[in-house]
Amino acid sequence: MNQSLNDSFLPLGDSSVLIRKGTTIDKGTHRWIMSVMQLLEAQRFDGMIECVPAFASIAVHYDPLVVWRSRSLQEKGHASVYETVCKRLEQCLSLLSEKEDNRLPERVVTIPVCYGGDYGPDLQEVAEHCGLSAEEVVSLHTSGSYSVYMIGFAPGFPYLGGMPPSIAAPRHKTPRIVIPAGSVGIAGAQTGVYPLATPGGWQLIGRTPLPLFRPDQQIPSLLEAGDHVRFEAISEQQYKEWEGAEQL
Amino acid sequence: MSLTVLKPGLLATVQDLGRYGYQKYGVAVGGAMDEPAARVANWLVGNEDAEAVLELTLTGTELRVDQDMWLAVCGGDMGARTDAGEVVPLWRPVWIAEGTILSFRHYQSGCRTYVAIAGGLEANVSMGSRSTYLRGAIGGLDGRTLGTGDRLEIRQRGREALAIDKLEVSSSGRLKWPLWHAGGFAVAPREVHTVRLMQGEHQNLLTAEALRNLYHEVFRIGPSSDRMGYRLQSERKLKFGEQASELITEPVVHGTIQLPPDGNPIVLLADRQTTGGYPRIGQVASVDIPVFAQLKPGDRIRFYSVTPIESERLKLESELDMNQLRTIIALKLHHKT
């Protein structure tokens, strides 16, 4: 719309702006996205509805009428509400300090997983694909330190980075009709946990008794973008005890 | 005060204006597919915009009115009638006598009908909204569709909408309504709907021919279209030129048009996911999103290009029009005329 506007802003329809920082998945970009999210949520402008982060971008949703009504004298000279929103975002981003890292301390969440058997019917297949034993796959999967890059696809579904490449395995050619909630899977170089029962093609190596989608709680997702995750192997007995405790 | 569901019909859920603020946790916004229709229905019975309403789909619903009440039916015309065979007029406040059975079985036009009750519907609030989100099993009636025998309680005492002695009365005396209505906001049925489209970021990945086709083809609403998204089908499939490099997942919004590898575009609607990895070839103007709510499988559309600035202006104008309508309805109800 206006050449003088920051190149990393794009209109996403008529009621959202996409802020983009490149097109790659890496830790540096992720840290920048998390810093901007924190800043935007602390410096909400009139008409802003919510911000949604992804790997290298953030959608800022706004209500055009509320922004239009809240324009300052100077903002009334803008050609569009979109321009006003971009200027407000630019001003907000100028508060982002390059050197200081003011982000809140990152959380580490441990997710207990019962690997193999009925809980992880594809563990053996993944092991064979990778030329490893099932125990080695579990040991590698639990040794990784994972970053939650973003939540998307389904309520509470984490996109995790940091899986050891040696246990990467392709998706099933024909997706399963139902994958039980809590299933831990591998798809290519990614690993993830299904919060809800859905169809899917991931290789299932285990299952967690921990609910990832918690609609009754103030924060409805166990994980948030920016968290760190560790997987911990538990026995079937422990799984059942845990599941029983969660249902109380 | 309550309504009893005698037959749910094809798909009936409780909806309000959606669940905002939780997309970063992957939670869909949801809410009424035809938002203006749901808002107007609420205004007509003296409710606020965000009261929960019933969203009925196409046909088959049957409700029993357990006490005298005011309600408004807006959106698609599913041929609402009483058990005495009397037509329930749309887009206005209607008084209905206790014991009347309302059926929605004489389909006329559109796809989704909204029923607002004075006082609003009681429903589960989840993350600040009463909207039913079936995939997450939250909101509405325990996160599910309405079933036979469900009792829908009224949330609070509704106002006496209009002075009852000045109204038109049906021959059975069970229905009363004013002559005025707010039907000017209905999406008028057309043979081929025109939908205004902003350029999507990845539109430049289409072949020249596909780009031409996007604006010239007639698209048919596919059979697997639902509240999450409408699947569009056309004679000539849309294709990408050079192998489009893998895109990384980015946020999507209402009205985003994704193009998966099969060449059939998907228009993302109320229950859409929060992020997506398919190329985005277009973005439906906000003011035209309710058009999709009233299209059913087999209906046809054509796209017409607009810029984001034009689309934004249309949105502002339509919101100002809506505010005027709200004021007029509020005055009518205030003076009980």
Side-chain angles (χ1 to χ4, degrees):
Chain A
M1 279 190 192
N2 184 328
Q3 284 304 311
S4 73
L5 294 178
N6 191 320
D7 284 339
S8 61
F9 295 153
L10 289 164
L12 192 57
D14 51 34
S15 311
S16 320
V17 177
L18 191 72
I19 303 175
R20 179 181 286 147
K21 180 85 169 173
T23 52
T24 56
I25 301 175
D26 60 72
K27 285 205 163 157
T29 307
H30 172 62
R31 275 196 287 268
W32 188 87
I33 295 289
M34 288 297 101
S35 303
V36 172
M37 269 301 281
Q38 203 180 307
L39 193 59
L40 290 174
E41 292 190 332
Q43 310 269 334
R44 298 175 62 91
F45 59 85
D46 280 345
M48 178 172 128
I49 297 171
E50 61 184 307
C51 300
V52 186
F55 290 113
S57 54
I58 298 174
V60 180
H61 295 254
Y62 59 89
D63 181 329
L65 190 67
V66 178
V67 175
W68 187 72
R69 286 195 166 140
S70 69
R71 288 171 308 161
S72 66
L73 211 55
Q74 192 193 359
E75 288 174 332
K76 284 183 180 164
H78 294 164
S80 63
V81 167
Y82 174 72
E83 187 181 337
T84 301
V85 170
C86 288
K87 289 268 162 63
R88 290 183 186 182
L89 289 174
E90 258 177 16
Q91 197 178 356
C92 183
L93 293 195
S94 70
L95 302 172
L96 198 64
S97 129
E98 290 285 329
K99 293 176 202 125
E100 281 176 75
D101 194 344
N102 295 326
R103 283 172 309 131
L104 298 168
E106 287 156 347
R107 292 193 311 165
V108 179
V109 181
T110 302
I111 297 184
V113 179
C114 179
Y115 288 95
D118 289 345
Y119 297 100
D122 302 327
L123 179 62
Q124 200 53 47
E125 198 179 317
V126 171
E128 278 163 30
H129 174 84
C130 302
L132 300 165
S133 69
E135 290 73 27
E136 285 169 320
V137 172
V138 172
S139 148
L140 282 161
H141 195 256
T142 51
S143 73
S145 167
Y146 302 87
S147 304
V148 180
Y149 278 128
M150 57 180 280
I151 306 285
F153 169 67
F157 181 89
Y159 285 82
L160 297 173
M163 189 178 78
S166 50
I167 54 172
R171 287 164 206 259
H172 288 290
K173 289 213 173 66
T174 312
R176 281 192 172 85
I177 293 166
V178 178
I179 288 182
S183 292
V184 177
I186 291 176
Q190 279 194 76
T191 186
V193 189
Y194 280 83
L196 302 171
T198 53
W202 291 40
Q203 303 273 1
L204 307 183
I205 60 168
R207 201 187 304 170
T208 176
L210 216 54
L212 269 76
F213 177 48
R214 341 185 123 205
D216 298 334
Q217 304 199 4
Q218 200 170 5
I219 294 177
S221 176
L222 172 68
L223 301 172
E224 293 182 58
D227 285 346
H228 290 282
V229 167
R230 287 191 167 280
F231 292 107
E232 181 185 69
I234 58 169
S235 67
E236 190 172 349
Q237 178 67 27
Q238 285 169 305
Y239 181 98
K240 285 184 172 148
E241 283 167 14
W242 203 303
E243 197 178 37
E246 283 287 346
Q247 280 163 0
L248 288 179
Chain B
M1 291 274 277
S2 63
L3 281 171
T4 302
V5 179
L6 302 181
K7 287 179 188 155
L10 209 53
L11 171 69
T13 56
V14 173
Q15 298 292 342
D16 60 16
L17 299 183
R19 190 168 277 117
Y20 286 93
Y22 298 89
Q23 290 190 72
K24 65 177 176 177
Y25 304 120
V27 179
V29 174
M33 287 277 280
D34 186 343
E35 199 181 284
R39 289 167 74 193
V40 173
N42 269 326
W43 299 340
L44 289 168
V45 292
N47 293 345
E48 295 295 321
D49 291 50
E51 277 298 341
V53 299
L54 287 180
E55 182 181 275
L56 312 178
T57 316
L58 285 169
T59 187
T61 309
E62 222 172 270
L63 306 168
R64 190 182 63 226
V65 174
D66 297 332
Q67 280 86 29
D68 295 354
M69 63 174 68
W70 286 95
L71 55 74
V73 182
C74 295
D77 186 352
M78 290 166 59
R81 300 210 184 157
T82 65
D83 43 340
E86 293 163 332
V87 173
V88 180
L90 305 188
W91 297 97
R92 70 193 89 200
V94 178
W95 179 91
I96 301 196
E98 174 184 339
T100 307
I101 295 171
L102 282 179
S103 71
F104 297 81
R105 271 183 313 198
H106 296 85
Y107 173 82
Q108 300 287 317
S109 64
C111 183
R112 290 179 173 84
T113 298
Y114 296 86
V115 183
I117 318 290
L121 290 171
E122 191 65 76
N124 296 350
V125 178
S126 181
M127 295 168 235
S129 165
R130 294 187 170 82
S131 287
T132 311
Y133 174 43
L134 294 174
R135 206 170 161 211
I138 55 172
L141 290 193
D142 304 323
R144 59 174 173 81
T145 59
L146 301 192
T148 300
D150 280 339
R151 247 171 85 116
L152 304 162
E153 299 289 340
I154 310 306
R155 196 168 75 78
Q156 54 187 8
R157 225 185 120 81
R159 290 200 314 201
E160 179 80 344
L162 296 167
I164 217 117
D165 53 341
K166 292 181 192 157
L167 300 175
E168 303 296 307
V169 183
S170 72
S171 51
S172 70
R174 305 190 135 257
L175 279 186
K176 299 178 186 183
W177 66 90
L179 285 177
W180 61 268
H181 65 87
F185 275 73
V187 174
R190 285 191 211 115
E191 191 154 350
V192 177
H193 283 267
T194 304
V195 171
R196 285 162 287 198
L197 189 68
M198 289 168 271
Q199 193 180 335
E201 199 193 337
H202 308 116
Q203 205 174 80
N204 57 353
L205 300 175
L206 292 171
T207 61
E209 193 197 345
L211 185 58
R212 228 178 8 258
N213 290 343
L214 176 61
Y215 292 103
H216 288 94
E217 280 285 284
V218 169
F219 292 90
R220 194 178 287 276
I221 309 298
S224 53
S225 300
D226 59 18
R227 283 183 41 94
M228 256 182 101
Y230 271 32
R231 285 157 193 276
L232 306 182
Q233 300 169 336
S234 57
E235 286 289 305
R236 287 175 285 259
K237 302 285 168 242
L238 300 181
K239 289 196 192 89
F240 289 115
E242 297 157 40
Q243 195 57 38
S245 56
E246 277 289 294
L247 297 169
I248 63 170
T249 299
E250 290 195 318
V252 291
V253 300
H254 284 14
T256 296
I257 303 191
Q258 296 185 324
L259 187 63
D262 69 3
N264 293 317
I266 303 172
V267 184
L268 299 179
L269 297 168
D271 281 351
R272 64 173 170 81
Q273 61 273 36
T274 54
T275 58
Y278 290 130
R280 302 186 300 269
I281 58 165
Q283 188 66 49
V284 175
S286 290
V287 287
D288 285 343
I289 290 175
V291 171
F292 282 97
Q294 297 302 349
L295 293 175
K296 57 188 184 307
D299 285 348
R300 293 178 299 163
I301 59 157
R302 200 194 288 275
F303 289 115
Y304 174 84
S305 170
V306 289
T307 66
I309 287 190
E310 286 166 327
S311 181
E312 177 188 300
R313 190 141 302 160
L314 290 166
K315 173 75 178 163
L316 290 173
E317 280 167 8
S318 125
E319 278 303 312
L320 293 174
D321 282 351
M322 286 286 279
N323 283 346
Q324 252 177 3
L325 179 66
R326 173 170 35 197
T327 307
I328 293 166
I329 293 173
L331 275 173
K332 288 263 179 206
L333 299 188
H334 181 74
H335 295 296
K336 300 202 180 296
T337 54

